[in-house]
């Protein structure tokens, strides 16, 4: 199945949806555009059909098991979408004022409070629009803190090699220098290496715990002590909160600031690339620097905290208050879980990961850190399969698609060769996990008997493997009309 | 518990296979003194019926005032098909299209989004979306600094008529890299062209112009663009895509056109929803596309020569380049871009023109009627697009509060951001406001003005 | 015009190809004196935004009273997933699955529907749905007359406790074939078993028993079933699928079980929506399935041996058998059956049991609290399932009107259908009614009763 | 792609959606069931995934061109669904009383009036739940009319051979005898044959105009005269209203009663088999017999007309008032069209049909009534192709599926051998029609070169051709658990 571009339709587009007559324009002639923008000319049916068909070309949680490591692709409850789209929520203007928003503001206030509870932090701002923006807010707060102390030499951010790409990128965006440290063989950070790099130039360290290696950093208290003693602060990348909900608190571990990917742990949809939410939580000392706006309660009224009331704030990160609709979905989901439900999330996310790890290990796959407990995810290395057959992690990934499973994350973290980072999440059944194991076994079998066939995968999807080199070398990034398509501009009347 | 499928039998089998006897053992690598006793403070679980009841209560508490507020977010009619399709599970619950073969739906949609947004702005290349208009502007500034080969300047000359929140967000984001926004003053509701002479000796990476301006007025984009290019600066155009159905695109500004354009895509089928999720866009000339932040989708072919789509030019991005990436952005606003693409497809160029015309006519009707009231006047008569400024004989806040009591959201109080305009109020009437709605506003305003100051 | 894609160019090309110059020529076979001049009386087209506004107004005019009305239609909580999925275009906009290979989705859903409905009723075979519960009962009567080999009778013995509208609809439908419903009287809120002796010498094609009865009471289904079978009549059980989560299924009634069961599927995830679309179901023993009206889906294999689904036993249907079909039904309630299937899948047996228990407990709470008020009493204490009768000391209509003023839909006035019960009112509190809701009813009822009769 | 049965999942089904505690039951023990009904044990994610995947196995208007003759498969506007599902409409109890239903009742009243206008009838009742039930109501009214006249001998209903199966089936259901008459070679009814069968035994005639042959019955006025003179009444099967909206009125043609398939002409969805609506309209003399309830206006109030106010009514046809939600959708659609939009519906429905007819004819396909104007649909006969190659209409239908088009109606009406009844509807573009023609040509080409290949079609769908004989001979109509699946009954806690 394939679908033409929407621009290739040549119909009368849906007209007459604005029946209220538009009086003549008072726009000056020289301000007007003279060309016709390239927008579709498709009927309503063609538009509906086109995008419905396109949707069917996607894998998604609602149709496939999607064990993409570090992404926490769990079930997105339909009720969260339904309720976040109640008409009053959709129609509320962001500048509508607190008198037209007590329901919304109370909800956001309670969300802040719940996020404080699950992280053990002192205060939360919901405004960052994704994990990376939460990281930005965090590093900017660390900088603001040092600046407020008059401590102007602290320009370095320490980042482990296993860190997500957004961590070093964020540090750079904030104007910091990135210092990389390495992971020890057991998956924990090498404390000696850490001690060697901290100093008066250390602004802070960015850590994920459990790390993207799928293991819990056992020496986190020592790390906190080392960094704090050196005068630095600790940033917690909360992408992996799904592993520790109700089990332990980043605040207790000694972190000063944390972002949470609500679109992962709290199951707001990923929408084919977003939107997300990267709410940030802080310890007491960073509280004055929180990005605005956030919500406070004054008597019975929920009100905005803004630049005026927070003069030390790092400022605004979005035109209004972040991705409110995403925040509503997270709130609804959290209330449906309740405290016990949250504990069960990590219980079963971790159980599923460990079960899958053992099942794959029994089937003879190499586990990156076999001596460790898996957290909510774990790493398989296909080094041996690659060496023996030439079939690599990418080939396995594509072959999994043919088996009806989305591929795990491949080649990340980069320190494990030919790796698959596998995160099943708690919402998948044992049955789904067993199906995945069976597919892995069957692909490996084919790798040893007919490796070229595996390298041809996928065969059953709308396209075969795509030419990425050509995509980058001869970028074709927008559609252009072949000739002048003015023939059909007037509508049938 | 609603979302966990495991039966007791499953659990027993799984624990056995994992070689343990109890789920709590799975957490035995967490140091004992870091363990907590659960999350009782979160409270009990609510059933779907209960949460539905609760959220309906909350929603009702927010009311549904008649909205005459614009100021960067607009209530347009959104055809039912837009979100019916965008929230289909296959779009809604997919991840970023890293596995291209299993994501052709999302990828093609984004390619179509890029095409429409680039074309509306009259430029060559668009990315797959940024968080919102404000962060898109910040990224445009970062990009301009990187891309301007003629200038090493870290200064951007920005009209005071650029949205105050856009400037505020950019300031937050640019401070780490010590990029500075320098303000161009205003005059008569437009950027003061005469004031440009004060900046001739300064070096700027770019000049940023919002058209229509935050006050809804049309700028002299040609003069500003040409001035910038003459002075070695790039031009960043900040646009409202609805206006581009009618107005000259940034790519056509002045002699050479703007180099970068960005803006807030919310008017393209995205509900107001308290400010987000919206969708920022960023477009540019092909020559500087490798400085673009964020994801980009390209069309290519598969090994059989069949056309297909894939994420491309990834060497700019954080997951490849890490600390050397053009931006830290990872998750963007994919689903919102999808909805915007469906909206633009349903409307077509003609549909957008109709809406834009209708908004424009409505706002004129409103401004004219308000200015016919004693105590309200028009501070300047610069041509406007679908938002307008009126001046009151008294503080705006009290007036708005009075309207709010009558269920009317009367507009945006400009006095904090633009004290030089006096008691100024920014109003907007989109195509969603009927003549009767406008009459209600005018009547309520008349009544409010009768109360002594 | 919103839904027609033709451009002027298309039209010209198409007319040319069809060999005419004008669309009006296409209608030249209509006799001139039959032609009309259009449909001006229909009025002008409304835009999507306008119709949305209009319908929102209309909806608001209907209000949202707190509902304590059952009487055959029940407000249960419907999980969001049910209609999100049922209204996906692929289900919503498909036709009847005549091309099986292109309709496996709908066909498998219906097969699953058949399985669940048959199993809830404890019988072997279900059809793919009928219009509603009332017509399902009418079809059950027709079917019983056809299927009963022991009797040539065209009479059905029906309890007076069967829903009055079910009896009325059946009367309409059966009159052409001169099939007659004979009424079994009631006593103490149940079918009067003692009265059966008056019918021993009459020949009946079937005996029809609703359990729980229209009044919510439980019937002595075992005795009635056995009596019917002893007298050569088939047994038609009329059920509420929600009750079957707890109650004995028709297939288990008496010694041999009912032969046919039917009912209204609305409680399975279908909104009240003013009475429809709902979904009737009809199930039976395998022995008589070829007398079943309506569509039936079967599982079979394709030419490669792969399992698949198809419409089957079509030789019973109008499109094959025309005047000799078992029924004239063609279009049924496919989409509603789909939604019901999703609902039952989400709930599972345990979920349905929870809801049924909760409704039952709530109704008991309500009935008990009402009967504690002076002026309200319980006419009989027969065990009930989730609906109950209370008796007032005054006409019910005025009482209900009083409640209605307070936003409460107080129940169903039984006095027209069952004058023998006096001022009787049928009330129902589903799982959707909280203790606070029930308290509001009781308070409002107390206040209403204080008004002098 | 295939999908297991929902019963094959073995998870904990979604629990806890009813948090309100249910107190102990007062149900007597002997009333309780002791067995466990066969209901799914699937998690919410599994349910969502299962039914989402199943949906993808369907062809539908939203994904394919669907030229199913006599079914008017046009675009179903999404807004109709959205507005019909406004919460107040969904929550309104059918017995809620007029004080809680003025919005709904006004809408239904206006719908009755609009349907009177488009049909030229005197009064309308909306209660029939599908076309066939509308037919039932119509024939029952004809019977009631004759009975009221004391005319008890009129037991025959005349039905043309081209009639839809529901017509004769309905007549039988009403207790009438069916008299079939034949179509002349030009597609019109043979008047002599008609004259030969009418008489004092004639209750009425059931006609579709345009007929299911896709031609307009030109002698309708003569037919009306013949039947009326014989004392019979005329029933109009309104399934084909899409061809004549705004062009001519059944009332003017002389019909006494009509049903309309709102789910065809007025674009309510067909939902994979329903629900529909078969609203009936009547001439003055049948007005007293209309089925109840319908809506009347009393002063400012909209009220129900019921048995009490309509003692001659044939009675009730549904427990409440038919498929209200379908009626709402039809109303919304009609208001969006307006009078002119309705005329355009038939303009373009008929243009599309005639264009497609000519395109297929030019391509060499045999048209059943080439001398006649097509109405909104027309018939192709594949007799020649069948004779030459052995490839029949069914094979063409299956091959079309492989080309991404739903098949037209096959083998109906039965009087044209190897026929395809093709109805494109007005909402399809010329582009879609051209694609269909190309597919037909390509299939025929293959029929002449490789007929066995065509007979293998479909090859690209979830299943190949199904064994219908086995389905009927060994009916497998419900799933049965292989063994006792009690193992998994308790939920993880
Ligand atoms: C470990 C980790 N950190 C940070 C991020 C960035 O979050 P976002 O994509 O929301 O910006 C991600 C998500 O991709 C992640 O997995
Ligand atoms: C000509 C004709 N008459 C009657 C009907 C029966 O209508 P329904 O399927 O709504 O019962 C149909 C639809 O299939 C039809 O095409």
């Amino acid at each position: 199945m394939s679908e033409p571009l929407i621009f290739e339709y040549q119909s009368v587009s849906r007209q007459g949806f604005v029946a209220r007559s538009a009086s003549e324009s008072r726009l000056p002639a020289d301000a007007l555009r003279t060309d016709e923008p390239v927008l579709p000319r498709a009927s309503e049916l063609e538009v509906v059909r086109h995008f419905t068909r396109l949707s069917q070309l996607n894998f998604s949680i609602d149709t496939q098991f999607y064990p993409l490591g570090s992404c926490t692709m769990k079930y997105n409850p339909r009720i969260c979408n339904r309720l976040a789209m109640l008409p009053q929520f959709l129609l509320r203007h962001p500048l509508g004022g607190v008198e037209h928003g007590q329901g919304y503001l109370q909800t956001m206030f309670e969300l802040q409070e719940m996020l404080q509870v699950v992280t053990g932090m002192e205060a939360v701002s919901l405004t960052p629009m994704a994990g990376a923006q939460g990281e930005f807010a965090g590093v900017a707060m660390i900088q603001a803190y040092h600046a407020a102390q008059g401590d102007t030499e602290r320009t370095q951010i320490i980042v482990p090699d296993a860190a997500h790409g957004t961590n070093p990128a964020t540090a750079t965006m904030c104007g910091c220098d990135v210092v990389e440290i390495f992971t020890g063989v057991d998956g924990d950070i090498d404390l000696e290496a850490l001690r060697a790099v901290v100093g008066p130039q250390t602004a802070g360290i960015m850590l994920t715990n459990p790390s993207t290696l799928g293991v819990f950093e056992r020496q986190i208290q020592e790390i906190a002590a080392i960094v704090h003693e050196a005068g630095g602060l600790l940033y917690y990348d909360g992408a992996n909160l799904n592993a520790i909900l109700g089990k332990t608190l980043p605040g207790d571990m000694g972190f000063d600031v944390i972002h949470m990917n609500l679109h992962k742990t709290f199951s707001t949809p990923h929408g084919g690339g977003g939107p997300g939410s990267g709410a940030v939580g802080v310890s007491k000392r960073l509280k004055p620097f929180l990005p605005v706006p956030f919500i406070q309660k004054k008597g019975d009224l929920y009100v905005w905290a803004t630049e005026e009331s927070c003069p030390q704030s790092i400022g605004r990160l979005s035109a209004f208050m972040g991705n409110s609709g995403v925040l509503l979905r997270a709130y609804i989901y959290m209330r449906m879980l309740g405290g016990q439900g949250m504990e069960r999330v990590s219980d079963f996310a971790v159980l599923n990961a460990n079960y899958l790890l053992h099942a794959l290990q029994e089937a003879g796959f190499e586990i990156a850190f076999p001596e460790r407990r898996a957290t909510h995810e774990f790493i398989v290395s296909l080094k041996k399969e690659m060496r023996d057959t030439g079939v690599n992690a990418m080939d396995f990934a594509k072959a999994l698609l043919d088996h009806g499973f989305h591929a795990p994350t491949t080649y990340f973290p980069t320190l494990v060769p030919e790796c698959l980072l596998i995160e099943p999440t708690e919402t998948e059944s044992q049955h789904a996990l067993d199906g995945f194991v069976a597919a892995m076994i069957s692909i490996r079998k084919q790798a040893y008997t007919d490796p070229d066939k595996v390298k041809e995968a996928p065969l059953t999807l709308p396209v075969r493997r795509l030419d990425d080199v050509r995509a980058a070398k001869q970028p074709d990034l927008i559609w252009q009309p072949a000739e002048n398509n003015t023939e059909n501009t007037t509508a049938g009347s | 518990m609603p979302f966990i499928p495991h039966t007791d039998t499953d659990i027993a089998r799984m624990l056995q296979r994992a070689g343990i006897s109890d789920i709590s053992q799975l957490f035995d690598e967490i140091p004992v003194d870091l363990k907590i006793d659960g999350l009782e403070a979160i409270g009990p679980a609510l059933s779907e019926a209960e949460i539905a009841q609760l959220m309906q209560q909350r929603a009702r508490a927010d009311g549904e005032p008649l909205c005459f507020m614009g100021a960067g977010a607009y209530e347009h009619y959104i055809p039912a098909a837009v979100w019916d399709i965008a929230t289909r599970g296959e779009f809604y619950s997919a991840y970023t299209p890293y596995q291209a073969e299993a994501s052709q739906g999302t990828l093609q949609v984004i390619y179509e989004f890029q095409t429409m947004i680039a074309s509306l702005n009259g430029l060559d290349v668009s990315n797959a979306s940024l968080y919102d208009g404000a962060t898109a502007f910040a990224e445009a500034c970062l990009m301009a600094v990187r891309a301007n080969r003629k200038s090493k300047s870290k200064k951007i000359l920005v009209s005071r008529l650029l949205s105050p929140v856009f400037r505020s967000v950019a300031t937050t984001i640019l401070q780490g890299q010590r990029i500075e926004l320098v303000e161009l003053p205003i005059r008569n509701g437009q950027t003061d062209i005469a004031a440009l002479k004060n900046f001739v000796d300064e070096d700027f990476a770019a000049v940023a112009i919002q058209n229509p301006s935050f006050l809804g007025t049309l700028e002299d984009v040609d003069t500003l663009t040409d001035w910038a290019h003459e002075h070695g600066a790039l031009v960043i155009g900040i646009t409202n895509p609805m206006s581009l159905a009618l107005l000259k695109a940034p790519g056509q500004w002045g002699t050479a056109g703007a180099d970068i354009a960005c803006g807030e895509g919310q008017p393209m089928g995205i509900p107001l929803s308290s400010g987000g999720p919206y969708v920022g866009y960023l477009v540019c000339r092909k020559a500087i596309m490798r400085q673009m932040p964020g994801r980009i989708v390209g069309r290519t072919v598969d090994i059989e020569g069949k056309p297909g789509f894939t994420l491309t030019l990834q060497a700019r991005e954080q997951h490849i380049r890490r600390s050397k990436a053009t931006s830290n952005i990872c998750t963007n606003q994919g689903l919102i871009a999808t909805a915007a693409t469906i909206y633009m497809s349903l409307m077509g160029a003609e549909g957008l023109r109709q809406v834009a015309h209708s908004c424009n006519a409505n706002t004129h009707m409103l401004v004219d009627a308000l200015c016919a009231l004693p105590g309200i006047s028009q501070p300047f008569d610069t041509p406007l697009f679908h938002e307008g400024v009126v001046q009151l004989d008294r503080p705006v806040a009290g007036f708005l509060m009075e309207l709010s009591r009558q269920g009317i959201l009367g507009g945006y109080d400009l006095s904090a951001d633009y004290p030089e305009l006096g008691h100024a109020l920014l109003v907007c009437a989109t195509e969603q406001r009927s003549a009767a709605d406008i009459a209600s506003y005018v009547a309520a305003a008349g009544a409010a003005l009768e109360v002594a100051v």
Side-chain angles (χ1 to χ4, degrees), chain B residues 209-234:
Chain B
I209 311 156
Q210 183 173 19
N211 189 52
S213 78
F214 183 69
L215 303 183
T217 53
L218 299 187
E219 293 279 19
D220 184 353
V221 290
D222 297 327
T223 305
L224 288 163
T225 300
D226 289 343
W227 185 89
H229 283 151
E230 278 157 28
H231 291 80
L234 297 179

Side-chain angles (χ1 to χ4, degrees), chain A residues 26 31 33 38 55 58-59 90 92 103 163 172 221 271-273 316 339 344 352 372 398 462 464 467 476-477, chain B residues 1 6 29 43 62 94 99 101-102 106 111 114 119-120 172 246 273-274 300-302 304 306 322 332 368:
Chain A
R26 291 199 227 163
R33 83 186 287 158
V38 178
S55 77
N58 272 0
F59 275 33
L90 294 188
R92 190 179 168 276
T172 305
Q221 290 152 307
R316 274 181 196 268
R344 278 168 57 92
N352 272 0
R372 301 292 307 270
K398 300 301 180 195
R464 304 280 305 276
D467 187 343
D476 171 358
L477 311 178
Chain B
M1 299 296 157
H6 302 65
E29 290 192 359
D62 287 352
Q99 293 292 341
E101 300 86 352
T106 288
Y111 179 86
Q114 291 173 181
S119 171
L120 276 169
T172 308
L246 299 176
S273 29
S274 293
T300 181
V301 293
D302 73 3
E304 290 175 349
K306 184 176 173 190
R322 302 180 66 86
N332 60 22
D368 291 352

Side-chain angles (χ1 to χ4, degrees), chain B residues 399-424:
Chain B
F399 175 79
L400 288 179
M401 191 51 76
E402 200 53 54
L403 292 180
S404 164
R405 278 194 203 104
Q406 298 176 57
I408 290 171
L409 201 54
Y412 182 73
D413 181 354
L414 291 164
S415 49
D417 294 316
Y418 298 93
E420 66 270 35
L421 295 178
H423 302 315

Side-chain angles (χ1 to χ4, degrees), chain A residues 284-482:
Chain A
K284 199 156 188 178
R285 57 179 155 184
L286 288 185
K287 219 167 145 180
F289 308 104
L290 266 186
V292 288
F294 52 91
I295 291 116
Q296 288 176 321
K297 195 166 179 190
K298 288 249 161 86
D300 276 350
L301 213 61
Y302 297 90
V303 298
W304 297 106
T306 62
E307 293 85 342
E308 288 75 56
S309 50
C310 309
Q312 288 189 283
S313 164
I314 58 162
R316 274 181 196 268
L317 289 166
S318 69
F320 305 107
M321 194 193 74
N323 286 334
S324 294
V326 177
L327 298 169
L328 282 172
R329 284 168 177 80
Y331 175 82
I332 295 161
Y333 179 73
M334 290 176 84
R335 292 298 305 265
M336 289 183 81
L337 290 181
Q340 280 189 13
M342 289 190 193
E343 291 170 56
R344 278 168 57 92
V345 162
S346 46
D347 281 345
F348 288 91
V350 174
L351 177 62
N352 272 0
N354 279 278
Y355 171 76
L356 192 52
L357 180 155
H358 278 90
L360 287 169
Q361 193 175 35
E362 278 176 31
F365 287 97
E366 183 185 331
I367 305 301
F369 298 96
E371 305 301 314
R372 301 292 307 270
R373 284 271 184 249
T375 55
H376 61 305
E377 61 189 355
F378 64 97
I379 299 175
V380 163
S381 171
L382 299 166
K383 211 167 50 194
K384 178 170 179 310
E385 286 79 2
M386 166 66 176
R387 200 184 48 217
D388 292 352
T389 70
V391 170
N392 63 17
M394 167 74 82
D395 300 324
F396 264 81
K398 300 301 180 195
L400 279 167
L401 304 179
D402 276 333
H403 281 81
F405 297 103
H406 196 280
T409 298
T410 52
Y411 300 104
F412 174 79
T414 41
L415 54 161
V416 182
E418 298 302 333
C419 72
L420 299 180
L421 178 61
I422 304 175
E423 180 181 10
T425 86
E426 75 279 7
T427 60
E428 297 293 339
S429 67
Q430 192 204 336
H431 179 78
L433 308 186
D434 290 345
F436 180 79
V437 173
M440 286 290 289
I441 293 172
S442 134
I443 295 164
R444 189 185 45 193
K445 198 166 159 198
Q446 194 174 37
Y448 280 91
T449 53
D450 190 357
D452 290 347
K453 197 79 199 166
V454 183
K455 291 190 138 323
E456 279 184 22
L459 292 162
T460 61
L461 293 178
V463 290
R464 304 280 305 276
R465 282 194 214 185
L466 293 161
D467 187 343
D468 285 326
V469 174
R470 174 185 158 133
K473 287 244 167 95
Q474 306 166 35
D476 171 358
L477 311 178
I478 65 171
W479 180 82
Q480 265 151 337

Side-chain angles (χ1 to χ4, degrees), chain A residues 50-69:
Chain A
H50 175 75
F51 289 102
T52 302
R53 289 169 64 103
L54 284 187
S55 77
Q56 294 186 345
L57 306 182
N58 272 0
F59 275 33
S60 68
I61 278 292
D62 279 9
T63 45
Q64 277 90 7
F65 178 49
Y66 211 123
L68 201 64

Side-chain angles (χ1 to χ4, degrees), chain A residues 25 27-28 39 73 135 167 219 235 240 251 270 297 407 452:
Chain A
S25 164
L27 296 166
L39 291 179
M73 293 296 282
E135 296 175 32
N167 296 6
Q219 316 163 95
Y235 181 91
N240 293 347
H270 212 281
K297 195 166 179 190
D452 290 347

Side-chain angles (χ1 to χ4, degrees), chain A residues 70 130-132 135 164 166 212 237 239 261 263-264, chain B residues 95 330-331:
Chain A
S70 202
E135 296 175 32
H164 192 262
T166 50
T212 58
D237 175 336
N261 294 64
H263 47 302
K264 298 180 179 177
Chain B
Y95 202 78
C330 174
T331 289

